[in-house]
Amino acid sequence: MERRRFLVKAGGVLAAAGPTVAIDAPNVIAQPKFQWRMSTTWTPALDVLQGAAQRLGKIIDEMSGGRLKIQVFAGGELMPAFGCFDAASQGTIESFMGAPYYWAGKEPGMQWFSAVPFGLNPQGMMAWYLHGDGLKLWEETYATFNLVPRPGPSTGVQMAGWFRKKINSIADYKGLKMRIPGLGGKIVAAAGGTVVLTPGGEIYTALERGVIDSTEWVGPHDDMKLGLHNAARYYYYPGWHEPGTTAEFGFNKKAYESLPADLKAVVDHACQATQVHTLMEYEYKNTVALQKLKTEFKSKVEILQLSQPTLKELKKLADTVVKEESEKSPQAKKAYASVKKFEATVNDWRLISEAAYHAQIAAA
Amino acid sequence: MERRRFLVKAGGVLAAAGPTVAIDAPNVIAQPKFQWRMSTTWTPALDVLQGAAQRLGKIIDEMSGGRLKIQVFAGGELMPAFGCFDAASQGTIESFMGAPYYWAGKEPGMQWFSAVPFGLNPQGMMAWYLHGDGLKLWEETYATFNLVPRPGPSTGVQMAGWFRKKINSIADYKGLKMRIPGLGGKIVAAAGGTVVLTPGGEIYTALERGVIDSTEWVGPHDDMKLGLHNAARYYYYPGWHEPGTTAEFGFNKKAYESLPADLKAVVDHACQATQVHTLMEYEYKNTVALQKLKTEFKSKVEILQLSQPTLKELKKLADTVVKEESEKSPQAKKAYASVKKFEATVNDWRLISEAAYHAQIAAA
């Protein structure tokens, strides 16, 4: 075959199962092909989060002209939802998608990379990753697990969660069995709650059967995809525990480093494009879902605001608990100090930009 | 030379000035090379905006493995700042960067693609482009100018501007000579002001010499880069006229369409990555600049809030003026109706997410 002869002459490189090397010719390059697998912590019903993984695969495929293909699996398809971090760490798969606070048992410091209660909003978190030390510390923390992290979808300010009983004061958190990960969970525990960490796909059953009394997930769109509006009546805001949540894309270090420079850049910027794409998707889809809750499910769901005294008490607990948590490892200590410093810096600007806009312009 | 021989054998394709064609071989592709020029409306001092154009060029170069290179020029280097739209439209250059409201003289509808007074915040605008009809209408409008638009940097909520005299009420806009583009400018004109549109690089001189009494630009960081804090004392917030401003990357249609599919994807997603990157950069750099204004320039600059009655009057004018403006062309009419509908939809969600977060959590 003509094609085979050509390949042989082009420096003896043949199409093989593994990546092939680039030939130093100005306009003709042998194209290495990479076929990766990504396993996520999500259920297929979560069209925004699982959709973000699929979208990442799609735009990497497009931008690389087919040289890097990522086959994406939902939790449970290839392995259990929470098995993907270890699998990517060990190199069984090349990449995963989840949220850093799911892995807090391995290293408490990871919690800060997802969301900080009473902390930064989406812009703030994203700014901390790139203009503060956020991503640097995250990379440092994940390097010990042979992983390279990249900020993934930004959910925007979340909802405080679904409750089977009303929350009238901080006392109502006492004895509450709640599904809530990360630092938010530590605060609910400090308020007297019992905290569990359940993958998305298993929450509805737990709530519906009364194994838990309450759960937070993301916002109206995702929560309805999980059916949570059919399992609890009271839906509270604002999401004090997750004002600027960021999910993650994680890559096996060896796999990531084996990519040529252009494909590394494709992966990095595809993650960033996906981050903002998802923030927009949430902004829109949460809006549509909220309207549905207010009309179609009007008699079944009450959307309520957490009272100011309740939030004050939660914040008081947060100040203590988050600090205590930061003393559990050197990485946690560094992340805590870094985000705290960054937050203090951006707060002045937030107050006269976004906050003033929402307060003053809405009132005008 | 070995290299030349290789190229000739690979199907007779030789490196040439123009793009070369791809060879149908699985692992070896002849790489078309594109060398583009981009001219912007910015001055080199604007490190975030001009920096975004340079960053776009850099990441496209990286992701394309050098197959698409964009040489970036600031306003005045290759042509006058406001000459870039026409030059890209006519194909003299392949791409430009500016803001759609600069071209309102060509088509009033373009104003809606930049920012809508008392309208959507950054998430909202970005969501309108992709999940509303924003980008579709924008593409439709630019197609008649042989251009393909892509949303560029998002500035975040802006400042209301620099004033040489205090603004105590709406009456103080009467007779005010102000540099302010787009729909915001139409509103200031309706309040009795005289409105001018000056490229960034010329504002300081105009303000310092008293040719204008006032100007808006972006926020603390950019405004200080232009030296505006040395030309006026009163710095007002919030930026009622531009709560969610988005700049633009524009591409000559023929040039864009001549790209192979993978490079089109690289351009599109590079724009999106740049959009969020800039939003973060502003979040951080505005913070640093604001602190500088509050300390180093404390005796020279007063940072003041526009009063609620002033904003109320501006909003009243906005409702009338923006509607009137929308009647000036079919494209304006469509953009107005589309953004208004989208805004009404997302407002409910905004109130219980970002707005509730800023108000309640800040108070906790």
Side-chain angles (χ1 to χ4, degrees):
Chain A
M1 272 184 62
E2 179 59 32
R3 179 178 290 171
R4 173 59 59 92
R5 268 208 335 271
F6 165 66
L7 283 167
V8 172
K9 289 198 175 167
V13 177
L14 278 165
T20 56
V21 296
I23 299 167
D24 177 28
N27 268 14
V28 182
I29 295 168
Q31 304 289 316
K33 288 250 170 86
F34 297 88
Q35 176 74 54
W36 282 8
R37 294 189 298 176
M38 173 179 282
S39 191
T40 79
T41 58
W42 325 117
T43 163
L46 294 166
D47 61 323
V48 182
L49 292 168
Q50 186 64 18
Q54 282 158 343
R55 186 183 159 78
L56 185 82
K58 183 172 168 282
I59 71 178
I60 286 177
D61 186 3
E62 284 170 10
M63 290 199 281
S64 72
R67 289 184 298 136
L68 171 53
K69 284 183 184 290
I70 304 179
Q71 201 181 354
V72 175
F73 300 88
E77 286 178 359
L78 203 61
M79 61 189 68
F82 284 164
C84 59
F85 182 99
D86 286 342
S89 169
Q90 288 151 14
T92 317
I93 52 176
E94 293 78 12
S95 56
F96 77 100
M97 183 189 181
Y101 51 27
Y102 290 163
W103 329 116
K106 300 174 192 296
E107 162 56 60
M110 291 181 187
Q111 296 171 103
W112 277 266
F113 307 126
S114 293
V116 182
F118 296 96
L120 298 161
N121 73 341
Q123 280 100 303
M125 280 299 277
M126 296 194 279
W128 177 57
Y129 298 132
L130 291 207
H131 297 283
D133 288 332
L135 186 54
K136 193 180 136 262
L137 292 172
W138 194 353
E139 283 177 336
E140 211 174 279
T141 307
Y142 272 36
T144 58
F145 296 90
N146 302 313
L147 291 169
V148 174
R150 290 289 172 259
S154 191
T155 67
V157 177
Q158 299 202 353
M159 292 289 286
W162 295 89
F163 298 79
R164 291 163 68 99
K165 284 185 196 158
K166 277 197 182 175
I167 296 291
N168 294 312
S169 78
I170 188 80
D172 293 322
Y173 277 97
K174 205 161 209 155
L176 190 82
K177 277 175 287 177
M178 184 168 185
R179 184 266 172 208
I180 175 170
L183 296 167
K186 305 290 189 300
I187 295 160
V188 168
T194 305
V195 169
V196 294
L197 178 54
T198 317
E202 297 163 30
I203 299 175
Y204 170 79
T205 313
L207 187 59
E208 201 271 335
R209 292 192 185 159
V211 177
I212 53 176
D213 308 311
S214 158
T215 186
E216 68 76 59
W217 180 244
V218 176
H221 177 79
D222 278 4
D223 294 9
M224 288 179 80
K225 286 276 172 196
L226 296 187
L228 305 181
H229 58 303
N230 292 317
R233 181 173 183 85
Y234 306 106
Y235 195 23
Y236 278 94
Y237 69 90
W240 57 272
H241 63 309
E242 300 201 25
T245 309
T246 313
E248 67 184 340
F249 295 113
F251 302 94
N252 175 274
K253 209 162 187 287
K254 213 173 131 190
Y256 179 86
E257 281 169 1
S258 75
L259 294 177
D262 61 340
L263 291 188
K264 267 194 201 110
V266 162
V267 167
D268 288 356
H269 301 302
C271 290
Q272 196 160 72
T274 304
Q275 181 181 38
V276 60
H277 191 272
T278 314
L279 182 61
M280 292 187 261
E281 201 174 348
Y282 273 121
E283 190 76 4
Y284 174 66
K285 291 190 170 173
N286 277 332
T287 293
V288 174
L290 181 64
Q291 285 182 330
K292 216 168 166 184
L293 283 178
K294 284 181 162 184
T295 50
E296 207 175 313
F297 295 93
K298 204 181 157 185
S299 62
K300 287 184 68 180
V301 169
E302 289 182 48
I303 298 163
L304 301 166
Q305 194 165 1
L306 281 172
S307 73
Q308 203 59 40
T310 307
L311 283 170
K312 238 187 180 62
E313 291 300 322
L314 285 168
K315 181 151 194 308
K316 225 187 277 172
L317 286 174
D319 290 343
T320 318
V321 167
V322 175
K323 191 171 185 325
E324 277 172 14
E325 197 65 17
S326 78
E327 283 152 10
K328 292 193 177 161
S329 81
Q331 282 307 107
K333 202 167 185 162
K334 276 200 254 183
Y336 172 78
S338 168
V339 85
K340 214 167 163 62
K341 190 181 153 203
F342 196 81
E343 205 183 313
T345 319
V346 296
N347 202 44
D348 271 6
W349 170 239
R350 188 187 66 78
L351 287 175
I352 69 167
S353 58
E354 277 277 333
Y357 158 72
H358 289 296
Q360 278 200 282
I361 290 187
Chain B
M1 274 183 60
E2 179 58 31
R3 180 178 291 174
R4 173 59 60 93
R5 268 210 334 273
F6 164 66
L7 283 169
V8 173
K9 290 200 177 168
V13 178
L14 278 164
T20 55
V21 295
I23 300 167
D24 178 27
N27 267 12
V28 180
I29 295 169
Q31 305 289 316
K33 287 252 171 83
F34 297 87
Q35 177 74 55
W36 282 7
R37 294 190 298 177
M38 173 180 282
S39 191
T40 79
T41 59
W42 324 118
T43 165
L46 293 167
D47 61 325
V48 183
L49 291 168
Q50 186 63 20
Q54 282 157 345
R55 185 182 160 78
L56 185 81
K58 183 172 168 283
I59 70 178
I60 286 177
D61 186 4
E62 284 170 7
M63 289 199 282
S64 72
R67 289 185 297 137
L68 171 54
K69 283 184 184 291
I70 304 179
Q71 201 181 353
V72 175
F73 300 89
E77 286 179 358
L78 201 61
M79 61 189 70
F82 284 163
C84 59
F85 181 99
D86 286 343
S89 169
Q90 289 151 15
T92 317
I93 52 175
E94 293 77 11
S95 56
F96 78 100
M97 184 190 178
Y101 52 27
Y102 291 162
W103 328 116
K106 300 175 192 294
E107 161 56 60
M110 290 181 185
Q111 296 172 101
W112 276 267
F113 307 127
S114 293
V116 182
F118 296 97
L120 298 161
N121 72 340
Q123 280 102 302
M125 281 300 275
M126 296 193 280
W128 177 57
Y129 299 133
L130 291 207
H131 297 284
D133 287 333
L135 185 53
K136 194 181 133 262
L137 292 172
W138 193 353
E139 283 177 336
E140 211 174 278
T141 306
Y142 272 36
T144 60
F145 298 90
N146 302 313
L147 290 168
V148 174
R150 290 290 173 259
S154 190
T155 68
V157 177
Q158 299 202 352
M159 292 290 286
W162 295 89
F163 298 79
R164 290 163 72 99
K165 285 186 194 156
K166 276 197 184 176
I167 296 290
N168 294 313
S169 77
I170 187 79
D172 293 321
Y173 276 98
K174 204 160 211 158
L176 190 82
K177 277 176 286 178
M178 183 167 186
R179 183 267 172 208
I180 175 171
L183 296 167
K186 306 289 188 300
I187 294 161
V188 168
T194 304
V195 168
V196 294
L197 178 54
T198 316
E202 298 163 30
I203 300 176
Y204 170 79
T205 313
L207 187 60
E208 202 270 337
R209 292 190 186 161
V211 177
I212 52 175
D213 308 310
S214 158
T215 186
E216 67 77 58
W217 181 243
V218 176
H221 177 78
D222 277 4
D223 294 7
M224 289 181 78
K225 286 278 171 193
L226 296 186
L228 305 181
H229 58 302
N230 293 318
R233 181 173 183 85
Y234 306 107
Y235 196 24
Y236 278 93
Y237 69 91
W240 56 273
H241 63 311
E242 300 201 24
T245 308
T246 313
E248 67 184 341
F249 295 113
F251 303 95
N252 175 273
K253 208 160 185 288
K254 213 172 130 191
Y256 178 85
E257 282 170 1
S258 74
L259 294 176
D262 61 339
L263 291 188
K264 268 193 200 111
V266 161
V267 167
D268 288 355
H269 300 303
C271 290
Q272 195 159 72
T274 304
Q275 181 182 39
V276 60
H277 191 273
T278 314
L279 182 62
M280 290 186 263
E281 201 174 349
Y282 273 122
E283 189 76 5
Y284 174 65
K285 290 189 172 173
N286 277 331
T287 294
V288 174
L290 180 65
Q291 286 182 330
K292 216 168 166 184
L293 283 178
K294 283 182 162 183
T295 50
E296 208 175 311
F297 295 93
K298 202 181 159 184
S299 62
K300 287 185 67 181
V301 170
E302 288 182 49
I303 298 163
L304 301 166
Q305 195 164 0
L306 281 172
S307 73
Q308 203 60 38
T310 306
L311 284 171
K312 237 186 180 61
E313 292 299 322
L314 286 167
K315 181 151 195 303
K316 228 188 275 173
L317 286 173
D319 290 343
T320 317
V321 167
V322 174
K323 191 170 186 323
E324 276 172 14
E325 198 64 17
S326 78
E327 284 151 10
K328 292 194 176 158
S329 81
Q331 281 307 108
K333 203 167 184 163
K334 276 200 254 183
Y336 172 77
S338 167
V339 85
K340 212 163 165 66
K341 190 182 153 202
F342 196 82
E343 205 183 315
T345 319
V346 297
N347 202 43
D348 271 7
W349 170 239
R350 188 187 66 78
L351 287 174
I352 69 167
S353 58
E354 277 277 333
Y357 158 72
H358 290 296
Q360 277 200 282
I361 288 185

